[in-house]
Amino acid sequence: MDSQSHKRGPFTLPELDYSEPPQGSDRRSFMVRSAMATAIGMLGGQVNPLFAQATAEPPLQGKENPDLQVVKNSKGPVMTLVDEFYKVGPGPSSSHTIGPMRITYDFYQRAIKLPQSTLNQATALKVHLYGSLSATGKGHGTERAALAGLIGHEPATIDPVAVLDKMAAEPDRQYPVKLGTKTINASLADIIYDATKGDFPHANTMTAKLMAGDKVLLEQEYYSVGGGFIEWKGYTPPKKNPPKYPYETIKEVIDYTKRDNISIAQVAMANETSISGRSEAEINAFLDKIIGAMRATVKTGLAAPTSTLPGPIKLKTKARDVYQHAMKEERPARRGIGVLSAAALAGSEENARGHLVITAPTGGSAGVMPAVLYSLDQAGAKVSDQKLREGLLAAAVIGYLCKHHATLAAAEGGCQAEIGVASAMGAAMVAQAMDADPQVVANAAEGALEHHLGMTCDPVAGFVQIPCIERCAFGAVKSWTGYLIASNEIPANRRVDFDSTVQALAITAKEMNGKYKETSEGGLAVSLTLC
């Protein structure tokens, strides 16, 4: 081929450059930039001579601090269990409500173990919120959740109406805290919204202190790492048994299903029993509790009369209205989409009210999986409870992998980490409940996740209402869309695999502007004016 065949008008295609990229660059990103520069030139554009040589950001190594266990865990097989993943607790956010309550409850348990002579000196409990917890905590009720933990409440057993709503109505109330034979008072004023910007180990960092005047008797730094999971400085995870099927990718999961002629749900169940030491009956009993909780949150949300949600947005609920209109719809497809959307709105509105929801994987996405379950259960498909259990197990595998290699926290990755992962889990649940081939389960999850990539978290006024509530409905619909596409294509023809999409989720999370990571500093949070 002569040199003229390389030419397109005035632009000459350069020879391939096999030299190493600049120090600190990601080689793949460097090559992509070089190829883009070439393509621009071939199309007649003007190439910035520095474009291809620009140093890329270093490749993603994990989350924000390599010392966090959630980062270290990403370097071995998945060890997460369903009872760690699916949690029942008060909304509106697993990372801003359930996590902080678990944190302060943990600190209280530590405090009461101190010698009584030390406790007798105590005068106050103080909690400092940093990063995203400080930036949007008021809209999430973080101060109420943190205070509730200090006075002895746990997320799974708290009555949100009797405790959290009452705190909001009586903001100056003092609550007695027993420290052995010593009693001190705590109030919302003891939960301090501290710095929103800084070099924090995690975007959701907080400290808890037991004080004796100006003297610190006990202090601990904590991190709410998403999905209700918590860690602390010096955290060591509990010892677990090895999994029967160790995996780090969905490809490895699918290889096991082919080798042993089993489903993804069966792989998950085998690991649940081997890692935890519990029986299948015990695992199923827990899954039945989650199924019951999901049914309850949809039922309660659909039955709730139209009202105004708490906060400055003055947002009206709509789940009941959407449901009633959907049930009158004569066309099955429109009725199905309407009922599914109403169920998602119901779960998400319960979350916005601060009532009990299920992290699947987070509070902000709490309407997606219950709506998918509702569509498989009472609303239409009417699959058996056993199929619902299998669906939850397959969905958990998808959620585990996203947690393992990327993030579930909007404060780290935007809404793609919440609604995107929830939608992928929902797609896997539908496919598994329909006895789809394992590759179809993976493809369904991939499709749902792929089409949420880049979704920002920009809650208006810091409340989990706009755009969060309606996003749950769209996420639930995309779950079914992901399944329907995957089940009607030739599985081997899909060009994008789930593992690559999870990697894309992690990269996008790392590169996303901080204004779109649950800080209410960009997007709808600034473009929508509240009057």
Side-chain angles (χ1 to χ4, degrees), residues 245-265:
Y245 295 105
Y247 68 87
E248 296 182 59
T249 65
I250 198 68
K251 181 183 182 303
E252 292 173 326
V253 174
I254 292 172
D255 286 344
Y256 288 132
T257 67
K258 292 177 179 177
R259 187 192 74 184
D260 294 353
N261 193 29
I262 56 177
S263 68
I264 289 179

Side-chain angles (χ1 to χ4, degrees), residues 109-167:
Q109 296 302 314
R110 294 172 187 239
I112 60 177
K113 290 181 175 67
L114 292 173
Q116 190 62 51
S117 59
T118 301
L119 294 175
N120 287 340
Q121 303 173 46
T123 58
L125 285 156
K126 298 290 182 182
V127 176
H128 291 253
L129 307 172
Y130 299 96
S132 180
L133 291 177
S134 180
T136 62
K138 288 188 182 297
H140 292 80
T142 303
E143 75 280 8
R144 297 192 296 277
L147 178 58
L150 284 182
I151 63 177
H153 292 284
E154 293 184 89
T157 56
I158 193 172
D159 182 339
V161 176
V163 180
L164 300 177
D165 289 1
K166 197 167 186 179
M167 284 181 177

Side-chain angles (χ1 to χ4, degrees), residues 10 14 40 45 91 145 168 237 260 301-302 304 333 337 347 351 377 429 440 484 492 520:
I40 292 171
D260 294 353
L302 290 177
I337 293 172
N351 183 63
D377 185 22
M429 182 177 188
V440 173
L484 291 170
S520 291

Side-chain angles (χ1 to χ4, degrees), residues 500-516:
S500 295
T501 304
V502 174
Q503 182 185 28
L505 171 65
I507 293 170
T508 307
K510 180 72 173 178
E511 296 180 348
M512 184 179 287
N513 190 303
K515 293 190 299 184
Y516 303 111

Side-chain angles (χ1 to χ4, degrees), residues 135-361:
T136 62
K138 288 188 182 297
H140 292 80
T142 303
E143 75 280 8
R144 297 192 296 277
L147 178 58
L150 284 182
I151 63 177
H153 292 284
E154 293 184 89
T157 56
I158 193 172
D159 182 339
V161 176
V163 180
L164 300 177
D165 289 1
K166 197 167 186 179
M167 284 181 177
E170 301 174 353
D172 299 324
R173 180 176 171 181
Q174 298 280 328
Y175 296 85
V177 181
K178 287 190 66 64
L179 301 171
T181 58
K182 176 73 179 286
T183 299
I184 62 174
N185 288 328
S187 71
L188 291 174
D190 295 313
I191 314 301
I192 300 153
Y193 287 94
D194 215 311
T196 60
K197 305 289 185 183
D199 186 21
F200 310 122
H202 189 275
N204 295 324
T205 294
M206 57 192 287
T207 60
K209 301 177 184 179
L210 179 66
M211 306 295 295
D214 294 332
K215 178 184 175 183
V216 178
L217 299 175
L218 179 66
E219 180 177 0
Q220 184 64 56
E221 183 174 276
Y222 290 92
Y223 321 107
S224 180
V225 297
F229 289 88
I230 66 170
E231 293 186 24
W232 49 86
K233 193 172 184 178
Y235 172 80
T236 301
K239 294 292 183 183
K240 295 179 178 179
N241 300 319
K244 180 176 181 179
Y245 295 105
Y247 68 87
E248 296 182 59
T249 65
I250 198 68
K251 181 183 182 303
E252 292 173 326
V253 174
I254 292 172
D255 286 344
Y256 288 132
T257 67
K258 292 177 179 177
R259 187 192 74 184
D260 294 353
N261 193 29
I262 56 177
S263 68
I264 289 179
Q266 287 172 309
V267 169
M269 178 60 86
N271 280 3
E272 293 291 329
T273 55
S274 60
I275 293 171
S276 69
R278 294 193 293 267
S279 67
E280 286 194 17
E282 290 174 305
I283 304 300
N284 281 331
F286 174 78
L287 293 173
D288 285 343
K289 289 182 181 178
I290 297 302
I291 290 169
M294 287 185 173
R295 284 170 173 158
T297 192
V298 172
K299 181 179 179 181
T300 303
L302 290 177
T306 301
S307 61
T308 302
L309 292 172
I313 301 175
K314 308 300 181 186
L315 185 66
K316 296 287 187 182
T317 61
K318 63 185 75 175
R320 186 179 185 182
D321 293 338
V322 172
Y323 177 74
Q324 289 177 343
H325 282 87
M327 293 304 291
K328 296 174 184 176
E329 176 60 57
E330 295 181 358
R331 286 160 285 193
R334 292 183 62 168
R335 182 169 63 250
I337 293 172
V339 169
L340 176 64
S341 299
L345 293 171
S348 193
E349 287 172 359
E350 281 295 281
N351 183 63
R353 293 183 182 102
H355 293 174
L356 291 180
V357 293
I358 306 90
T359 63

Side-chain angles (χ1 to χ4, degrees), residues 367-379:
V368 178
M369 283 286 287
V372 171
L373 183 140
Y374 186 76
S375 68
L376 288 168
D377 185 22
Q378 301 170 23

